[in-house]
Amino acid sequence: MNWTALDLTILGPAFLAGLLVVATHIPLGQRVLARGIIFLDLAVAQVAGLGLIAAHSLDWEPGAWQVQVVAFATAALSVLFLHWTERRWPQIQEAVIGSLFVLASSGSILLLASNPHAGEHLKGLLIGQILWVNYMQLVPVAILYGLILLQWFGFPQRRSSLPFYLLFALAITASVQLVGVYLVFATLILPALAVRHCKQRALWYGYGIGVVGYGLGLILAALLDLPAGAVIVYTLALIAILIGWFVNRAKD
Amino acid sequence: MQKIFKTGLTLVMLLLTMPAMARLSVFACEPEWAALAAELGGERVTGYSATTAKQDPHHIEARPSLIARVRNADLLICSGAELEIGWLPLLLRQAGNAAVMPGRAGYLEAASLVQRLEIPTSVDRSMGDVHAGGNPHVHLDPRHIATIGKALGQRLAELDPAGSAYYQQRQQDFLRRWQQALERWQKQAAPLKGMRVVTHHRDWVYLFNWLGMVTAGTLEPRPGLPTTAGHLVNLKQELARSPAKMIVHAAYQDDRAAQRMSQLSGIPVLELPYTVGGAAKAGDLFSLFDVTLARLLAAAS
């Protein structure tokens, strides 16, 4: 046990990043699950990552706006493509998404072939570095997510196919850089799975799972001295199972 | 009841008087510097190493405790010369401890205190993980340990003036024992002079420079890049022309590349501890060099 790490100024920025991701990914995740395109986020997140790495190889600074534009453009291209394949060949959509994921991952490895920090970059993309987040980094993400939520809850009729795919690409491009592919997937899918049978309040249960999962995960990571991102994936799963069980029992 | 109350009171008193016997908290990026701080600081210092001998000091996982430890540290000692460039700047920024920022008394960069080798005339990305400040693996020349030990001893006394006599006495004692060991090692290692060795990464140049050994090639085509098949074939042809005695890798490095090269060339593989804790018997700085030399001599004969 390590109590000194239990410090709000250490865990605060990471928790706030988690709250931002939770705010947008809970409603998006329920939609992804309802549409049955679970691996869409893994593929799009990986493509956004590929875009980030490509922008890096062009020698742009990690925080530069060009990098963000490239990352979002590649993610948007991939969702446009997937939107098209969903209409063209709906029965093989999952297979196409899976193939895109593998191509994007392998593409990142090829782009990083001559980079001595390749391993770090690839791992950073997957498990993220939520603890290295600082408040300044969160400001643009908070503004972006505010706009996404406004669009989502303000114009529910536009949640149909194409606008959904584009909002999704935008949200994931930002969240992947904050918390990594694994946490993005876990935040989208685990809470949505737990409350899939809920008619009402599914959204609030989902938010509850997200907030408690991130909070508990960060506290455990601090106490047990473990990498934070991976611990949060597990606490999200644990809370999702508990709440899912509770919600289903209450219904019977 | 009264007994419980008394015990409780004693405990509270103990906790209240804790700061009076607070020790200097030293955060080391690598185990060798934590070991040096333990030699020089004794019981006035608590040391912590961010990496272990089984971890590559170029990389690190972000854990909350690392930030907390830097935040509470009085002194930070790291190899520097960009060895920790992938994680230390982030860690320092996140911890926000002004006392251990570069340029302050609480920040000690070991590599800056010694003559570095392999300082490039120009650096660009195509060269791989080349450090502009030169090769950062300075601790493997034991003469450097003495130089850095002097600076660390002074720094400890500066940060904890009440213990300056204590630090001075420990430093003199350490340097005397180190000098004796150094003379013994130099005598022992005489047969190693001129020996050609293939290494995994260029982390042995200071050891080889000290002992007059020769790097016959590296398994990495460029520093930090994984081995490629083409590079191994080229290296094999080079070794056929001018042979090497062994292939050396550090305890923290995956030995698959070394084993593959060994199959290709018939040259035996040797694992060396690289730092304190890298082998069962290398528990401190003295035994680190004892084990390293013993293994090199055994493999050379």
Side-chain angles (χ1 to χ4, degrees):
Chain A
M1 288 282 166
N2 187 333
W3 296 98
T4 50
L6 213 57
D7 182 335
L8 194 67
T9 51
I10 291 175
L11 302 178
F15 186 57
L16 197 62
L19 290 184
L20 282 174
V21 173
V22 164
T24 45
H25 287 46
I26 297 296
L28 288 172
Q30 292 178 355
R31 188 74 181 194
V32 165
L33 194 65
R35 292 178 73 102
I37 40 173
I38 319 296
F39 294 106
L40 176 73
D41 58 310
L42 274 184
V44 175
Q46 198 70 45
V47 172
L50 178 70
L52 287 172
I53 289 171
H56 272 294
S57 352
L58 292 174
D59 256 346
W60 286 332
E61 285 301 308
W65 63 269
Q66 295 99 322
V67 175
Q68 301 304 321
V69 170
V70 171
F72 174 65
T74 41
L77 270 180
S78 73
V79 295
L80 286 176
F81 171 73
L82 289 174
H83 179 250
W84 175 69
T85 55
E86 193 189 21
R87 300 188 147 198
R88 188 84 171 73
W89 300 292
Q91 67 283 13
I92 54 158
Q93 179 69 355
E94 277 290 79
V96 172
I97 290 174
S99 307
L100 186 66
F101 170 76
V102 175
L103 284 171
S105 311
S106 305
S108 311
I109 291 173
L110 290 178
L111 275 179
L112 287 171
S114 62
N115 185 325
H117 296 287
E120 282 162 273
H121 280 303
L122 293 174
K123 217 166 120 190
L125 190 61
L126 290 177
I127 61 170
Q129 294 282 30
I130 192 171
L131 280 177
W132 293 156
V133 168
N134 61 20
Y135 288 119
M136 286 310 290
Q137 242 176 306
L138 292 177
V139 174
V141 179
I143 294 170
L144 176 71
Y145 280 8
L147 293 174
I148 289 176
L149 288 174
L150 194 71
Q151 169 77 19
W152 185 260
F153 292 110
F155 306 94
Q157 67 280 11
R158 289 202 207 151
R159 288 181 197 172
S160 62
S161 230
L162 195 59
F164 165 71
Y165 270 82
L166 284 173
L167 274 188
F168 192 74
L170 204 55
I172 284 202
T173 306
S175 60
V176 152
Q177 297 174 60
L178 284 185
V179 301
V181 173
Y182 293 160
L183 259 182
V184 167
F185 183 84
T187 316
L188 281 165
I189 302 303
L190 291 171
L193 265 181
V195 299
R196 69 192 182 284
H197 294 309
C198 277
K199 293 275 176 294
Q200 300 144 2
R201 284 184 294 191
L203 198 60
W204 296 110
Y205 280 124
Y207 277 136
I209 294 170
V211 172
V212 177
Y214 271 85
L216 191 65
L218 281 170
I219 291 169
L220 277 181
L223 292 179
L224 304 176
D225 198 12
L226 291 170
V231 175
I232 298 172
V233 170
Y234 269 82
T235 49
L236 276 173
L238 188 76
I239 304 295
I241 290 170
L242 283 176
I243 297 290
W245 177 76
F246 170 77
V247 168
N248 277 332
R249 234 176 75 109
K251 251 184 23 170
D252 295 333
Chain B
M1 191 62 205
Q2 212 179 358
K3 208 171 178 184
I4 296 174
F5 179 73
K6 261 188 175 169
T7 327
L9 198 68
T10 328
L11 266 175
V12 170
M13 289 303 286
L14 254 176
L15 282 173
L16 285 175
T17 50
M18 282 287 265
M21 37 185 208
R23 304 190 198 185
L24 211 57
S25 167
V26 177
F27 181 98
C29 289
E30 291 87 16
E32 59 267 24
W33 309 126
L36 188 59
E39 294 278 1
L40 299 174
E43 58 196 21
R44 295 191 75 93
V45 159
T46 50
Y48 173 80
S49 174
T51 53
T52 71
K54 301 289 182 189
Q55 287 171 328
D56 185 346
H58 295 86
H59 318 296
I60 204 167
E61 289 282 346
R63 308 190 306 270
S65 72
L66 283 176
I67 304 172
R69 284 185 201 275
V70 173
R71 179 164 296 177
N72 299 324
D74 302 302
L75 174 64
L76 186 118
I77 175 165
C78 298
S79 290
E82 299 182 0
L83 177 64
E84 306 92 355
I85 196 156
W87 52 275
L88 188 59
L90 286 166
L91 192 55
L92 281 172
R93 188 195 69 195
Q94 219 64 351
N97 179 355
V100 299
M101 287 297 184
R104 303 293 296 269
Y107 178 90
L108 191 61
E109 184 187 356
S112 71
L113 302 168
V114 298
Q115 183 79 46
R116 269 154 291 128
L117 300 172
E118 301 185 331
I119 296 179
T121 45
S122 71
V123 177
D124 73 74
R125 276 169 177 238
S126 65
M127 299 161 77
D129 200 7
V130 166
H131 306 287
N135 189 311
H137 307 280
V138 292
H139 71 283
L140 284 173
D141 184 337
R143 295 168 299 186
H144 289 168
I145 297 286
T147 310
I148 296 159
K150 279 178 204 153
L152 178 58
Q154 280 168 10
R155 206 60 79 86
L156 290 173
E158 196 181 318
L159 293 167
D160 177 20
S164 58
Y166 176 82
Y167 294 127
Q168 198 177 6
Q169 185 260 318
R170 279 195 81 95
Q171 183 185 321
Q172 279 169 359
D173 178 54
F174 171 75
L175 290 175
R176 186 180 45 77
R177 286 182 295 131
W178 194 254
Q179 188 57 37
Q180 286 167 358
L182 196 60
E183 283 160 21
R184 177 169 44 106
W185 290 328
Q186 264 158 351
K187 250 180 238 146
Q188 269 179 353
L192 297 174
K193 194 158 192 224
M195 192 168 77
R196 291 170 54 81
V197 176
V198 175
T199 66
H200 181 110
H201 178 67
R202 297 195 66 86
D203 37 13
W204 305 102
V205 288
Y206 292 97
L207 182 77
F208 291 4
N209 182 52
W210 169 51
L211 297 175
M213 293 162 69
V214 180
T215 306
T218 57
L219 298 176
E220 294 174 337
R222 277 169 297 182
L225 292 185
T227 313
T228 59
H231 178 70
L232 285 187
V233 170
N234 286 343
L235 190 59
K236 185 193 165 189
Q237 286 165 352
E238 251 171 68
L239 290 174
R241 284 194 297 274
S242 43
K245 195 84 183 175
M246 57 189 97
I247 303 167
V248 160
H249 71 90
Y252 73 80
Q253 284 153 352
D254 189 354
D255 71 342
R256 278 179 296 187
Q259 297 294 356
R260 187 84 193 84
M261 192 66 224
S262 177
Q263 282 170 0
L264 283 172
S265 60
I267 300 172
V269 173
L270 179 68
E271 180 183 302
L272 291 179
Y274 175 74
T275 183
V276 175
K281 284 188 182 138
D284 61 22
L285 286 164
F286 290 93
S287 51
L288 167 66
F289 285 95
D290 283 334
V291 171
T292 303
L293 289 187
R295 287 195 187 174
L296 279 170
L297 286 164
S301 60

